[in-house]
Amino acid sequence: MKTVIIIGAGVGGIATAARLAQKGYDVTVLEKNDRPGGRASLIQEQGYTFDTGPSLFLMPETYAATYTDLGERMEDHLDLARIDPTYRVHFHDGSSIELTGDLLHMREQLEAIEPGSFEAYARFVAEGYRHYTLSIDRFVGRNFYNLLEFFSPANLPMMFQLKALQKHYADVSGYFQSPRLRAALSFQNMYLGLSPFDAPATFTLLQYTELAEGVWYPRGGMYSIVTSLTGIAEGLGVRFQYNTPVTRIDVDGQRATGVTLEGGEQLKADLVIANADLPWVYANLLPDDGTAAKLDRKKFTSATFMFYWGLKGERTDKLMHHNVFLSDDRYRESFHQIFDEHLLPAEPSFYIHAPVRTVPSFAPADGDALMVLVPTGHMDEAHAERQDWPALQQRARRDVLKRLARLGLDDIEERIVFESTFTPPDYLRIWNLAKGAAFGLSHNFSQIGYLRPHNRHARYGNLYFVGASTHPGTGVPIVLLSARLTTERILKEQ
């Protein structure tokens, strides 16, 4: 029985561990923190419950496929509620739109904003469907073992069909004239920490998955995904060791031989898989061969300020389960400030997750639980003098409260009885995310498919990677695909 050490108990590490254990491997997962999940973690304080990571359950068939591959039924582990309308988008002028799978309601709203836009919307969603099916079948859901496979005669036409060289915002603008609709149907790139002005138009697939397949939420919270997959893995024989930081991947010649722990203990293994953030692994756990510096020059996703507020008092109907607040007519400028200047925008857009509307037990009967996500630039030494994180955190907090007051929620601050916050340096310190970038490496054209960091090390043939910064990319359902692809590669090569 071959032994495997997996560094990191994120969703990708857990799923890979379960898949390999099912195939007869002896798997140990080493996690630096005190619980599994990585960024997909949990806060439970004073009767309030918060997901600290993902809050939208998209692409349910990808989750279902993972459970099926492990001999389980997703329905036996997750009680899913469909969230519809998916969210309410608030514009700077006080108007709003509810994005929903109800076509009649969508038609009324779209036509009120831009007459004639519903027909364009139908074509837009149809394009998203084409991008989604093509991507999953032939691009995202497969390994590329060499450059010729990626740029093969069969693949090249597909890249044009996916509009991989066109920007998402430009593509949306081809369908809609209204700046509000362009913003409401392009901001979804921020789920992946991307700018719609830089992300490939391929990502119209996000709008399709939301509006056609639906946005869902487990009644046990997103962390119930982590606990169920961890339980399945343990049932298959996987061992999890928590509070166990790894300080080095040990190598000899062309092979990884195991790992060294923080206390100096060395553990041997036939295979090593890194689920920790890939750029951080190259910079901190492996001998310097120049790769870390190359990765450091790549594009990274945004960072975020996270606020977790436990509120006392009556729950407001002015907030839905998912809520998006977009900045003013400087929408493009706000993304420039995040992704080019690596700063907090002058007027930030933000997202609020209010799960108590679906799971009342996430707050006391006389309270509410809000998670606020404010995108900001990642850590950058070149802009260090302008990245005063405590000051920027306070400004982000003030801006959110001011915007909520305009909605009529002017008593939020005085109702806060519990508060916790994460900043970009916290993402680096707690989860070893390079530059504090909350979603890992970016997904511009030069960082997708075979051009993205590979899921096996070029020199050490038994060292593999799984997670957001390797192929195919970030987001929980995509990371579950990463676990399947890494496992398939191991079974093929080892």
Side-chain angles (χ1 to χ4, degrees):
M1 184 181 293
K2 287 188 175 181
T3 57
V4 180
I5 286 177
I6 297 180
I7 305 168
V11 171
I14 298 167
T16 305
R19 286 178 175 275
L20 288 174
Q22 186 186 48
K23 297 298 182 181
Y25 287 78
D26 180 4
V27 185
T28 300
V29 181
L30 307 176
E31 168 56 46
K32 73 180 288 264
N33 293 311
D34 61 1
R35 65 173 66 192
R39 283 162 283 183
S41 191
L42 187 71
I43 294 174
Q44 290 180 307
E45 291 286 346
Q46 301 177 31
Y48 299 95
T49 299
F50 307 89
D51 292 308
T52 63
S55 57
L56 290 95
F57 189 102
L58 300 172
M59 301 170 60
E61 75 285 350
T62 303
Y63 291 87
T66 296
Y67 283 97
T68 298
D69 289 349
L70 296 174
E72 302 283 338
R73 296 174 67 250
M74 180 176 72
E75 296 80 3
D76 295 334
H77 294 269
L78 304 177
D79 180 12
L80 298 179
R82 182 162 185 174
I83 309 301
D84 194 78
T86 55
Y87 36 69
R88 183 179 292 139
V89 180
H90 297 265
F91 302 107
H92 183 78
D93 63 3
S95 63
S96 64
I97 184 172
E98 294 178 359
L99 297 187
T100 171
D102 182 337
L103 291 180
L104 289 178
H105 188 34
M106 280 300 295
R107 184 182 69 184
E108 293 170 357
Q109 296 180 97
L110 291 168
E111 294 292 329
I113 295 174
E114 180 183 325
S117 61
F118 181 69
E119 182 180 350
Y121 171 77
R123 290 186 282 110
F124 176 72
V125 174
E127 178 186 273
Y129 168 72
R130 292 193 299 273
H131 288 177
Y132 178 78
T133 53
L134 268 176
S135 295
I136 295 298
D137 293 343
R138 298 171 55 189
F139 190 74
V140 176
R142 59 163 294 187
N143 280 309
F144 293 97
Y145 292 94
N146 56 65
L147 196 60
L148 290 177
E149 279 190 10
F150 186 60
F151 287 114
S152 69
N155 263 16
L156 283 175
M158 180 187 66
M159 293 184 186
F160 288 100
Q161 293 169 24
L162 291 172
K163 297 186 176 181
L165 298 176
Q166 186 174 344
K167 302 306 182 188
H168 192 177
Y169 190 85
D171 186 55
V172 174
S173 299
Y175 290 94
F176 307 100
Q177 298 302 310
S178 165
R180 286 183 293 170
L181 293 185
R182 290 175 174 180
L185 294 168
S186 66
F187 80 87
Q188 291 84 354
N189 292 278
M190 288 304 297
Y191 300 162
L192 307 176
L194 308 176
S195 164
F197 298 97
D198 190 47
T202 310
F203 286 109
T204 55
L205 62 85
L206 290 170
Q207 286 77 28
Y208 163 75
T209 59
E210 286 183 349
L211 298 167
E213 297 190 348
V215 173
W216 303 77
Y217 191 72
R219 295 189 189 277
M222 293 295 285
Y223 197 70
S224 62
I225 302 165
V226 173
T227 55
S228 71
L229 289 176
T230 301
I232 292 169
E234 289 174 331
L236 291 167
V238 177
R239 294 177 301 280
F240 289 85
Q241 294 180 208
Y242 301 109
N243 300 306
T244 308
V246 172
T247 58
R248 185 176 68 235
I249 296 174
D250 299 319
V251 297
D252 183 12
Q254 309 296 311
R255 306 281 293 175
T257 59
V259 300
T260 297
L261 305 183
E262 189 173 63
E265 181 184 1
Q266 291 185 313
L267 303 178
K268 300 296 183 182
D270 297 309
L271 298 174
V272 176
I273 303 170
N275 180 221
D277 189 40
L278 184 145
W280 184 88
V281 171
Y282 274 96
N284 294 275
L285 300 186
L286 287 168
D288 185 7
D289 62 357
T291 302
K294 291 178 182 178
L295 291 171
D296 189 67
R297 293 192 292 271
K298 289 186 177 293
K299 286 192 174 184
F300 284 72
T301 55
S302 68
T304 61
F305 289 108
M306 303 297 300
F307 301 93
Y308 305 93
W309 292 336
L311 307 181
K312 63 181 179 180
E314 185 178 354
R315 300 162 188 171
T316 176
D317 59 4
K318 294 182 179 180
L319 294 175
M320 304 176 73
H321 186 118
H322 299 295
N323 311 268
V324 175
F325 293 79
L326 297 180
S327 60
D328 60 11
D329 54 5
R330 292 173 291 180
Y331 183 66
R332 181 188 293 267
E333 175 64 19
S334 69
F335 285 102
H336 170 71
Q337 291 172 326
I338 292 171
F339 291 96
D340 298 323
E341 298 181 351
H342 302 145
L343 298 173
L344 177 69
E347 182 177 345
S349 299
F350 58 94
Y351 159 75
I352 293 182
H353 183 223
V356 175
R357 280 95 190 122
T358 305
V359 188
S361 62
F362 275 19
D366 61 343
D368 203 354
L370 304 181
M371 179 193 86
V372 184
L373 183 157
V374 185
T376 187
H378 63 64
M379 299 169 69
D380 183 356
E381 292 182 2
H383 294 85
E385 74 285 352
R386 302 173 67 186
Q387 292 184 328
D388 181 341
W389 297 115
L392 291 173
Q393 171 192 336
Q394 287 303 311
R395 178 162 75 81
R397 187 180 188 274
R398 287 196 305 270
D399 288 344
V400 169
L401 292 170
K402 187 185 303 182
R403 185 74 180 269
L404 290 176
R406 285 168 44 197
L407 190 63
L409 300 174
D410 53 5
D411 61 347
I412 295 293
E413 185 169 26
E414 63 193 53
R415 292 171 54 198
I416 297 174
V417 295
F418 168 79
E419 181 170 13
S420 184
T421 305
F422 292 146
T423 68
D426 293 323
Y427 277 87
L428 174 60
R429 175 180 57 84
I430 298 171
W431 295 295
N432 293 338
L433 290 166
K435 301 179 186 285
F439 310 90
L441 287 174
S442 188
H443 293 77
N444 52 304
F445 181 75
S446 63
Q447 294 179 192
I448 57 175
Y450 187 76
L451 305 179
R452 196 166 182 80
H454 303 161
N455 53 12
R456 195 197 71 185
H457 196 281
R459 177 176 181 181
Y460 310 118
N462 63 334
L463 172 58
Y464 292 84
F465 302 94
V466 63
S469 289
T470 187
H471 176 67
T474 193
V476 175
I478 304 303
V479 166
L480 290 174
L481 287 176
S482 172
R484 174 172 68 79
L485 296 178
T486 297
T487 302
E488 288 177 358
R489 185 162 191 168
I490 289 171
L491 297 177
K492 176 181 179 179
E493 296 175 343
Q494 300 296 324

